Amino acid sequence: MTLVEYYQYVVVPILGVSVILVFIRFLKGPSLADRVISLDMLILMAIGIVVIYSIIYDQSTFLDIAMLFALIAFLGTVAFAYYLEERKKRDE
């Protein structure tokens, strides 16, 4: 089994199942923090899938998309942390 076949037949299905499970957590998350963390996980798994397809098809342009996803995830996390901090100040 080559590395590309390993990615196609083992890693991508595992990431696919993980996406489904995390999406369920995103929909049913009991708190806002759970939903935000699950959204970060979804973006992280999307980055992994994009990187694997970049490796399989030898297309480096997919890596630009992965970097864009990473930037969006980072900005989302920072915005959420800022929101939680402001909400904490408002409640005090």
Side-chain angles (χ1 to χ4, degrees), residues 59-86:
Q59 294 287 325
S60 63
T61 55
F62 289 149
L63 294 176
D64 295 336
I65 296 169
M67 287 190 332
L68 183 65
F69 282 163
L71 179 64
I72 290 171
F74 173 73
L75 292 176
T77 303
V78 169
F80 178 66
Y82 179 76
Y83 169 73
L84 285 180
E85 188 71 24
E86 291 298 316

Side-chain angles (χ1 to χ4, degrees), residues 11-22:
V11 176
V12 171
I14 289 173
L15 284 174
V17 170
S18 300
V19 166
I20 293 169
L21 294 174
V22 171

Side-chain angles (χ1 to χ4, degrees), residues 10-74:
V10 177
V11 176
V12 171
I14 289 173
L15 284 174
V17 170
S18 300
V19 166
I20 293 169
L21 294 174
V22 171
F23 188 71
I24 291 171
R25 173 55 66 189
F26 176 72
L27 294 176
K28 295 177 72 176
S31 69
L32 181 62
D34 291 333
R35 290 181 177 173
V36 170
I37 290 171
S38 64
L39 184 63
D40 281 344
M41 285 297 299
L42 283 172
I43 293 173
L44 185 66
M45 286 183 243
I47 291 169
I49 291 170
V50 168
V51 167
I52 287 172
Y53 276 107
S54 173
I55 293 169
I56 291 172
Y57 294 111
D58 197 24
Q59 294 287 325
S60 63
T61 55
F62 289 149
L63 294 176
D64 295 336
I65 296 169
M67 287 190 332
L68 183 65
F69 282 163
L71 179 64
I72 290 171
F74 173 73

